[in-house]
Amino acid sequence: MSIAAEIEDLFGKGGAGAYFGERVTQLQHALQTAHLAACAGADDELVLSALLHDIGHLLGGRLDADLGVIAHDQSCVEWLRQRGFSSRVIALISGHVAAKRYLVATNPNYRDRLSEASTRTLRLQGGPMSQEEVTAFESNPHFKDMLRLRSWDEMAKDPEAVVPVLEEYLAMIRKWEERQSVPL
């Protein structure tokens, strides 16, 4: 099965489910996040990361019935790696929860803007970063893109948003797959 078909299947099976405590489905959230990235002029890897940032919820793992897969940002890393996603895509997806923890630690107003569900998951995700964690996070080469992804993640919760359908992003993934299969 192609990676695009696998992603389509994952969203087909679990994407219609409510996005834990929000007024959108998991698919709506993913599509809105990707659309916000594309509208901001993000490159294909960042748009793809935005689309797949919560794929860990669809893959399963240690589940909280109200909040989803607790370590969804980490539980998907091996799945992404096995499918040949770049280290940048993996870093962005696996760093979007750390970005929330960073922002709560460094921006006094950020916590107040979190949804109720995002505030609840923050506790399970380790709470605000320590100063040592902040310093380490800021030294990550993908630091700024992780913060951008986090921003789009927080904004992508509008049940009335009109965005491109999944097929448009699957076409991008198919093109990426074709490039991957060309021998160097």
Side-chain angles (χ1 to χ4, degrees):
M1 176 183 290
S2 74
I3 297 166
E6 198 172 353
I7 290 169
E8 182 177 31
D9 186 59
L10 284 167
F11 278 115
K13 289 178 179 171
Y19 181 66
F20 312 103
E22 305 294 351
R23 299 178 325 141
V24 294
T25 67
Q26 291 192 54
L27 177 59
Q28 286 173 316
H29 178 66
L31 293 174
Q32 286 180 38
T33 308
H35 180 66
L36 289 165
C39 288
D43 61 53
D44 285 354
E45 280 191 325
L46 188 46
V47 171
L48 182 60
S49 299
L51 178 72
L52 301 178
H53 77 280
D54 280 341
I55 199 78
H57 284 304
L58 302 177
L59 295 171
R62 194 178 120 229
L63 183 70
D64 178 290
D66 295 328
L67 303 174
V69 175
I70 302 307
H72 70 280
D73 58 320
Q74 300 302 310
S75 65
C76 63
V77 168
E78 190 56 32
W79 185 89
L80 294 163
R81 188 175 289 119
Q82 289 172 354
R83 280 144 189 86
F85 287 100
S86 72
S87 59
R88 179 176 177 232
V89 168
I90 294 169
L92 292 171
I93 292 171
S94 66
H96 81 279
V97 168
K100 176 171 69 171
R101 295 182 61 229
Y102 170 85
L103 288 166
V104 169
T106 61
N107 181 341
N109 299 317
Y110 183 77
R111 183 186 294 241
D112 296 336
R113 293 193 311 253
L114 292 176
S115 68
E116 181 183 336
S118 198
T119 300
R120 289 176 56 208
T121 59
L122 175 65
R123 286 190 294 273
L124 297 171
Q125 295 162 337
M129 286 184 170
S130 67
Q131 186 55 51
E132 295 79 23
E133 290 172 312
V134 165
T135 301
F137 188 73
E138 289 173 340
S139 70
N140 187 303
H142 306 294
F143 167 70
K144 288 183 180 177
D145 283 340
M146 286 179 191
L147 294 180
R148 292 175 73 199
L149 175 56
R150 186 72 219 175
S151 173
W152 301 319
D153 182 9
E154 291 299 331
M155 291 188 293
K157 299 173 182 177
D158 178 0
E160 304 302 319
V162 177
V163 297
V165 296
L166 180 59
E167 181 54 41
E168 290 194 31
Y169 298 104
L170 294 175
M172 178 179 28
I173 295 167
R174 285 186 201 97
K175 287 180 186 173
W176 169 78
E177 283 185 279
E178 289 171 11
R179 289 192 305 269
Q180 300 302 100
S181 65
V182 176
L184 297 177

